[in-house]
Amino acid sequence: MKIQRRNKANPEFSLAAMTDVILLMLIFFMITSSAANQSAIDVNLPKAGAVDDNIPNPLTVSIKPDGSYFVDDNPVNKGELEQIIVDKLTSQTNKSFTIRADENTMHKDVVFAMEIAEKHKFNIAIATVKDK
């Protein structure tokens, strides 16, 4: 006599629940990605909101509108700027410096200081004024 089981395990897998979860995740990521891509066309630098400076930088590079550079309030030639920054930061544990550029400074002068940081893997901070 052959006895049959009453509770057979159903080996089929329902994909309906998984499809619902995937669609919800797709909607979630589409909404968050569109919110994250804000346009950066309207910029008014060097004003900023209330930002706390939590990283003390031992070195400050100031750039005036005429393209003259200053390291810790000492005038420096453009050709000597890289060597002076490297010399001052070699003994520091926090290898970073702050760029203080006038709002009328040409972009190429600020980028020159940023390229020095990129070349030597230094961290930089750009000083701004608090927006009123």
Side-chain angles (χ1 to χ4, degrees):
M1 177 161 137
K2 188 174 182 182
I3 300 175
Q4 292 186 355
R5 278 185 153 170
R6 290 184 185 177
N7 296 333
K8 285 187 175 181
N10 189 0
E12 294 179 18
F13 185 71
S14 176
L15 294 176
M18 187 180 297
T19 304
D20 291 343
V21 170
I22 290 174
L23 287 175
L24 286 174
M25 287 175 49
L26 178 66
I27 292 169
F28 173 76
F29 287 121
M30 286 173 50
I31 291 172
T32 56
S33 68
S34 66
N37 292 334
Q38 297 294 326
S39 177
I41 294 173
D42 185 27
V43 292
N44 291 321
L45 294 178
K47 295 178 183 173
V51 178
D52 295 331
D53 186 12
N54 56 0
I55 302 172
N57 291 328
L59 186 68
T60 301
V61 176
S62 300
I63 308 169
K64 292 182 78 176
D66 61 355
S68 57
Y69 293 90
F70 296 85
V71 176
D72 290 335
D73 299 330
N74 299 321
V76 174
N77 292 332
K78 186 175 181 178
E80 300 172 349
L81 181 66
E82 180 175 358
Q83 189 59 41
I84 290 173
I85 292 173
V86 171
D87 290 344
K88 289 195 177 218
L89 292 179
T90 51
S91 62
Q92 301 289 331
T93 57
N94 181 19
K95 296 190 183 308
S96 64
F97 63 92
T98 302
I99 297 175
R100 295 182 65 240
D102 188 89
E103 64 182 2
N104 296 320
T105 301
M106 295 186 70
H107 189 68
K108 68 176 184 169
D109 296 326
V110 177
V111 169
F112 179 75
M114 294 171 85
E115 285 175 345
I116 294 171
E118 176 66 26
K119 180 178 178 182
H120 297 282
K121 306 295 185 212
F122 295 148
N123 294 323
I124 58 170
I126 297 178
T128 58
V129 293
K130 187 183 270 189
D131 193 16
K132 296 178 183 176

